[in-house]
Amino acid sequence: MFATVAIVGAGPAGLLLARMLHNAGIDSIVLEHRDRAYVEHRQRAGMLEQGTVDALRACGAAGRLDREGLVHHGIELRFDRQSHHLDFPALTGGRSVMIYAQTEIVKDLVALQLAEGGPLLFEAEAISIEDDMLTFVRDGVEEKLGFDFVVGCDGFHGISRAAIPGARVYERDYPYSWLGILADVPPSCEELIYAHSDRGFALHSMRSPTVSRLYLQVPNDTDPDDWPDDRIWDELDARFAIDADWKLMRGPITQKSVTPMRSFVTEPMRHGRLFLAGDAAHIVPPTGAKGLNLAIADVVTLARALQHWFTTGSPDLLNTYSDACLRRVWRAEHFSYFMTTLLHRAPDQTPFDTRLQLSQLHRIADSRHAAAELAENYAGLP
Ligand code: APR
Ligand code: PHB
């Protein structure tokens, strides 16, 4: 088997890359370890920057997103029992964000790839990458795939990263996780609520006008079974409480899971014909909602560089790929770290630390400059 571009992983990064290359007339084969149902039902992120929406539209993958996505013009910060709204268009010169689940993006891209694109092989696990040959296992049989370029879109637990010799890793763990739920109940807010409280962080997000997505900060290694539904709703009530007439609507919880938080970057993101994109190269804690958006930004940069190579023969954009991506990656790493440490309560947190957090939150609420700095990073830098 041979593909001009071999793509490992059918998450949003691998699928969007295959779609963009297809539109540019460059053939690819996508290998995905899991089966289609698994890939299409993983619960992940849901906040899309304008640039992410633009990229999906430009490659003809935004039909359902444009019908079902919810446009949000800001977020709400809650602390000290008060609520503060950040108006993104006013603070950023007109930018907004969109809520549309990552799983839905994956479903849309899988359908397009199977209908119009090159091969997308499920239950095909890449096991090694050499100079111009990839080995994978399908139905218990080892197969070889030759390529001009190979792109590791295989997420944090993939194998591609290890094929970059001498890579340098930067990482940070956090002393807390998120307990996330999906509930069949209309959201109790129009836009997302990020809540700082003495009991820890909480986030109210949504998936549709009838489905809410909520998160609670919990200790690492929390067992979701220790959190019966009533305990979750009571804790959310306590963390979102404000001195105003507001009520959190409850409904049947349909899904519950615990996710650890991590910051991670590997440098460089390229070695010879191998390129990394998305979670394979970097992880952010979810508080700034940057993970999916970074993955898409990598892919847009790489698709452009590959297209430039195939149309002009110039390697310039391939050569600058890693540096160009890492610049955005480190901005998002900083922002995600900032949002996380601003809003969460560390197990060893002192009253002094809490006072610093509240001072910074008040500064964001009171200063247009401080609010604009948050809004620009959240809504996405060009
Ligand atoms: N062979 C083939 N496929 C593999 C292999 C392998 N050896 N290892 C991993 N994969 C597949 C996984 O099964 C997964 O479907 O690679 C895919 C990687 O997809 P994602 O983890 O969704 O990563 P990415 O496409 O970079 O998307 C990043 O996902 O975790 C979120 O916050 C993150 O929203 C961001 C997005
Ligand atoms: C989500 O909807 O899953 C979501 C939204 C915003 C975040 C993190 C997760 O910061």
Side-chain angles (χ1 to χ4, degrees):
M1 286 168 89
F2 179 87
T4 302
V5 181
I7 300 174
V8 187
L15 290 166
L16 181 65
L17 181 62
R19 176 73 187 168
M20 294 183 77
L21 293 178
H22 170 77
N23 288 351
I26 302 167
D27 71 281
S28 70
I29 294 183
V30 184
L31 303 177
E32 167 56 51
H33 179 32
R34 305 288 191 156
D35 64 27
R36 180 177 179 182
Y38 181 92
V39 167
E40 291 188 340
H41 290 95
R42 266 185 306 216
Q43 277 305 321
R44 292 280 188 78
M47 198 292 289
L48 314 185
E49 296 173 4
Q50 184 64 53
T52 298
V53 173
D54 291 345
L56 291 164
R57 281 188 187 141
C59 72
R64 198 157 66 94
L65 177 148
D66 277 325
R67 286 193 303 278
E68 297 176 13
L70 308 170
V71 176
H72 282 196
H73 297 299
I75 56 169
E76 183 183 327
L77 292 177
R78 284 193 180 185
F79 56 94
D80 266 351
R81 300 185 64 86
Q82 304 292 320
S83 156
H84 302 270
H85 181 250
L86 296 187
D87 179 339
F88 288 171
L91 291 164
T92 64
R95 272 183 281 150
S96 296
V97 296
M98 194 183 276
I99 296 293
Y100 186 69
Q102 179 173 321
T103 43
E104 304 306 317
I105 295 178
V106 166
K107 282 182 205 164
D108 297 344
L109 288 170
V110 166
L112 278 173
Q113 185 68 17
L114 294 176
E116 303 170 4
L120 162 54
L121 310 182
F122 289 103
E123 298 180 83
E125 182 188 10
I127 54 168
S128 79
I129 299 174
E130 277 133 48
D131 284 349
D132 56 1
M133 188 67 76
L134 186 158
T135 306
F136 67 99
V137 176
R138 196 165 47 145
D139 291 331
V141 179
E142 263 189 39
E143 298 182 56
K144 300 278 183 193
L145 172 62
F147 53 77
D148 285 341
F149 295 99
V150 58
V151 187
C153 299
D154 47 351
F156 186 64
H157 301 287
I159 59 148
S160 310
R161 200 164 56 233
I164 298 199
R168 175 133 192 223
V169 162
Y170 302 83
E171 57 191 323
R172 184 180 207 283
D173 291 325
Y174 297 82
Y176 30 75
S177 302
W178 278 14
L179 171 65
I181 61 159
L182 269 182
D184 281 338
V185 59
S188 305
C189 48
E190 283 177 7
E191 295 176 339
L192 272 52
I193 306 174
Y194 288 80
H196 174 280
S197 88
D198 289 347
R199 306 172 69 93
F201 172 72
L203 170 61
H204 191 330
S205 181
M206 61 195 71
R207 288 292 173 261
S208 72
T210 54
V211 176
S212 296
R213 176 89 169 137
L214 295 115
Y215 299 96
L216 282 172
Q217 174 192 343
V218 291
N220 285 338
D221 300 319
T222 291
D223 180 352
D225 291 340
D226 291 339
W227 284 83
D229 296 6
D230 283 346
R231 182 178 177 204
I232 293 178
W233 291 116
D234 290 348
E235 189 62 31
L236 287 166
D237 267 339
R239 295 191 193 182
F240 285 122
I242 44 170
D243 295 329
D245 190 19
W246 183 84
K247 197 169 158 8
L248 179 64
M249 305 283 287
R250 298 187 177 197
I253 294 179
T254 56
Q255 209 255 350
K256 219 184 266 187
S257 62
V258 171
T259 329
M261 319 257 282
R262 181 187 287 121
S263 300
F264 175 95
V265 182
T266 186
E267 295 186 359
M269 289 170 59
R270 177 212 183 166
H271 174 71
R273 307 158 182 234
L274 166 65
F275 293 81
L276 301 180
D279 278 15
H282 39 74
I283 296 287
V284 287
T287 326
K290 288 285 158 248
L292 170 62
N293 295 293
L294 275 184
I296 301 299
D298 288 351
V299 163
V300 168
T301 308
L302 183 55
R304 193 179 295 143
L306 286 168
Q307 195 176 354
H308 189 63
W309 161 259
F310 284 109
T311 50
T312 68
S314 160
D316 290 358
L317 296 185
L318 293 172
N319 291 340
T320 54
Y321 170 75
S322 179
D323 287 347
C325 289
L326 285 166
R327 206 175 151 142
R328 173 187 294 270
V329 167
W330 278 110
R331 178 86 298 282
E333 289 288 344
H334 179 269
F335 178 64
S336 307
Y337 164 85
F338 165 77
M339 288 289 280
T340 301
T341 52
L342 174 68
L343 292 164
H344 289 71
R345 186 179 176 84
D348 60 352
Q349 182 148 327
T350 64
F352 181 85
D353 299 329
T354 305
R355 283 285 183 276
L356 289 185
Q357 288 178 326
L358 289 169
S359 170
Q360 183 63 32
L361 285 162
H362 278 292
R363 172 85 186 141
I364 292 164
D366 296 342
S367 152
R368 190 183 163 86
H369 292 295
E373 173 63 9
L374 193 159
E376 280 183 15
N377 278 279
Y378 193 102
L381 299 163

